[in-house]
Amino acid sequence: MQRWIIHIDMDAFFASVEQRDHPELRGCPVIVGGVSHRGVVATASYEARQFGVRSAMPIVEARRRCPQGVFLASDHHKYARVSRDIHDILQQYSPLIEPLSLDEAFLDISGMEWLYPEPVTIACRVKEHILREVNLIASAGVAPNKFLAKLASDMSKPNGLLLIQPGEEPSFLEPLPVGRLWGVGGVTAAVLEKYGIKTIGQVAAAEPALLERLIGNGAYELQRLARGQDDRPVVPDQESKSVGNEETFEIDLTGREAIRRQLLALSEKVGWRLRRMGRMGRTVSVKIRFASFKTITRSRTLPDPTCLDEVIFATVTALCDKVTWGEGVRLLGVTLSGLTTGQAQGSLFEPEPDKRLAIATAVDKLKEKYGESIVGRGNSRHT
Ligand code: TTP
Ligand code: MG
């Protein structure tokens, strides 16, 4: 299976949040950081970067370079809240998310071709979703591994989306300066450059013995990176408390059958994500937003945790039976919370779920390999 990793990184994160919340600051050079005399810049808006203001620069220096700048104290609580909102969005696109900081994360989207046609389409949707829901701009990199994905998002900024296809690694990497390699800071770069190794292409072609002499133990890994090889896995955040998917419809849904079909598709997505994460959930929640924006949620806690589509969907159906469907439906969501680790299903008295999990997992593998159509239930559709 071809590996596909997306790296998402918000543009000028702290500054963009402030510009979002204070529209009068849009288009202005905004500098966020410790505003005391001895503080440093946390980040600068792209307008401020034109004056040479950078992260970690003393505020005094930033004021000298950009006297007309708007200087603001950072509000970590607010940025952490926004970060959680973004994380909730990312969760809807992959069960394997590794947050790196408040504003960046890796998503492993390998094997999701049955959900989306192209890896780059997923990245595009993630960007659109973040813009729509939190009104901020993200840049994205799509590539066969973490190193290349992060490089791609970095190089595409601002408001970028860059795809590196398998096979394109050498031509992409060769001309870049060594400092672009993960883990190469100023000191290592200086050592390499002293020996005439200035580009990533030169690292890739260097004599291994020479590299080892120059930088020691990390030489082998560094050369692999320079050749675009990186097997590091995306390590998901095991702390996540719930797994949910929701969908806003372009046209409000009417009619029981249309609603049922969407709820089945959402239940299948959530079940699949849980199985991929190796987890189960005990509480099933349904969210319904009507055309009038009236929003209700209904939950039920099951006697045993589950990751099975049919158990999730049956619970969802039971919850929806009690809802009065007076008007069109704008949004539906299905979430499992009360997550447990591991998927040992069934018990002495109820051995059946184990078999059902085995079947579901086998079907997942087929879907990942051949696409959804080969094993689809025929009555749910994924977008
Ligand atoms: P970055 O993603 O490195 O920077 P950025 O989002 O501001 O700009 P861009 O990605 O478009 O280049 O860091 C994310 C946030 O972390 C940033 O908005 C502020 C904070 N931060 C600091 O507080 N100190 C620092 O030295 C850096 C680099 C970032
Ligand atoms: Mg950023």
Side-chain angles (χ1 to χ4, degrees), residues 219-237:
Y220 174 75
E221 278 306 319
L222 193 71
Q223 195 159 47
R224 275 179 50 83
L225 280 187
R227 292 172 178 167
Q229 296 158 353
D230 175 19
D231 299 327
R232 279 170 301 180
V234 170
V235 182
D237 170 17

Side-chain angles (χ1 to χ4, degrees), residues 98-109:
E98 178 179 343
L100 284 187
S101 68
L102 279 186
D103 88 323
E104 59 179 318
F106 287 112
L107 280 73
D108 187 333
I109 54 153

Side-chain angles (χ1 to χ4, degrees), residues 25 28 105 266 337 380:
L25 297 181
C28 299
L266 289 166
S337 52
S380 74

Side-chain angles (χ1 to χ4, degrees), residues 256-269:
R256 286 290 179 110
E257 183 49 30
I259 292 167
R260 197 192 80 87
R261 219 182 292 157
Q262 292 296 340
L263 288 170
L264 176 58
L266 289 166
S267 303
E268 288 179 344
K269 276 190 192 173

Side-chain angles (χ1 to χ4, degrees), residues 68-378:
Q68 66 276 58
V70 180
F71 289 78
L72 302 172
S74 38
D75 179 349
H76 261 275
H77 288 292
K78 177 155 79 172
Y79 311 139
R81 255 192 335 264
V82 180
S83 178
R84 280 196 294 277
D85 292 342
I86 294 166
H87 194 261
D88 286 346
I89 293 172
L90 299 183
Q91 280 211 348
Q92 300 188 35
Y93 292 86
S94 170
L96 298 176
I97 304 171
E98 178 179 343
L100 284 187
S101 68
L102 279 186
D103 88 323
E104 59 179 318
F106 287 112
L107 280 73
D108 187 333
I109 54 153
S110 315
M112 297 207 180
E113 292 79 356
W114 63 279
L115 274 174
Y116 300 94
E118 299 279 349
V120 74
T121 313
I122 306 186
C124 217
R125 294 220 189 148
V126 170
K127 271 174 64 83
E128 287 166 5
H129 200 151
I130 292 174
L131 183 60
R132 195 170 65 236
E133 294 265 321
V134 297
N135 201 11
L136 290 172
I137 292 174
S139 290
V142 188
N145 61 48
K146 284 170 101 173
F147 166 54
L148 291 168
K150 188 164 158 67
L151 194 62
S153 76
D154 234 45
M155 292 179 64
S156 72
K157 275 178 174 295
N159 195 9
L161 172 58
L162 183 61
L163 166 72
I164 302 178
Q165 298 264 20
E168 284 178 359
E169 299 90 341
S171 57
F172 188 84
L173 289 171
E174 266 163 24
L176 300 178
V178 287
R180 283 283 187 177
L181 284 168
W182 213 338
V184 173
V187 176
T188 312
V191 171
L192 292 169
E193 280 168 18
K194 204 170 140 204
Y195 284 82
I197 302 175
K198 297 195 170 95
T199 66
I200 295 184
Q202 287 171 315
V203 175
E207 213 29 75
L210 171 67
L211 272 189
E212 211 168 316
R213 195 148 51 75
L214 296 182
I215 62 164
N217 280 340
Y220 174 75
E221 278 306 319
L222 193 71
Q223 195 159 47
R224 275 179 50 83
L225 280 187
R227 292 172 178 167
Q229 296 158 353
D230 175 19
D231 299 327
R232 279 170 301 180
V234 170
V235 182
D237 170 17
Q238 284 296 332
E239 293 302 295
S240 62
K241 301 274 184 291
S242 66
V243 170
N245 276 75
E246 56 182 51
E247 179 125 15
T248 304
F249 308 106
E250 276 180 26
I251 300 167
D252 292 342
L253 291 184
T254 48
R256 286 290 179 110
E257 183 49 30
I259 292 167
R260 197 192 80 87
R261 219 182 292 157
Q262 292 296 340
L263 288 170
L264 176 58
L266 289 166
S267 303
E268 288 179 344
K269 276 190 192 173
V270 171
W272 176 74
R273 288 175 52 192
L274 285 165
R275 293 192 293 280
R276 282 257 324 210
M277 293 165 87
R279 306 191 75 182
M280 300 196 289
R282 195 186 285 277
T283 301
V284 180
S285 307
V286 186
K287 175 169 160 190
I288 303 161
R289 177 167 296 149
F290 293 101
S292 61
F293 265 85
K294 180 185 148 196
T295 306
I296 59 169
T297 54
R298 298 283 180 267
S299 309
R300 173 173 297 178
T301 298
L302 302 168
D304 297 304
T306 190
C307 61
L308 294 173
D309 301 353
E310 55 268 34
V311 176
I312 299 169
F313 182 56
T315 313
V316 165
T317 309
L319 286 168
C320 286
D321 274 348
K322 299 196 186 76
V323 173
T324 322
W325 302 90
E327 44 176 330
V329 171
R330 188 185 160 82
L331 171 149
L332 287 172
V334 172
T335 300
L336 258 83
S337 52
L339 298 192
T340 56
T341 309
Q343 292 181 332
Q345 298 246 355
S347 61
L348 203 56
F349 308 105
E350 208 197 350
E352 203 52 15
D354 249 347
K355 224 181 275 169
R356 282 150 69 192
L357 175 61
I359 294 170
T361 311
V363 169
D364 290 342
K365 291 224 170 80
L366 284 174
K367 280 182 181 171
E368 285 166 22
K369 198 159 175 197
Y370 298 109
E372 185 196 10
S373 56
I374 194 165
V375 282
R377 281 167 208 264

Side-chain angles (χ1 to χ4, degrees), residues 9-13 49 103-104 157:
D9 190 304
M10 305 303 296
D11 291 347
F13 184 48
R49 291 181 199 194
D103 88 323
E104 59 179 318
K157 275 178 174 295

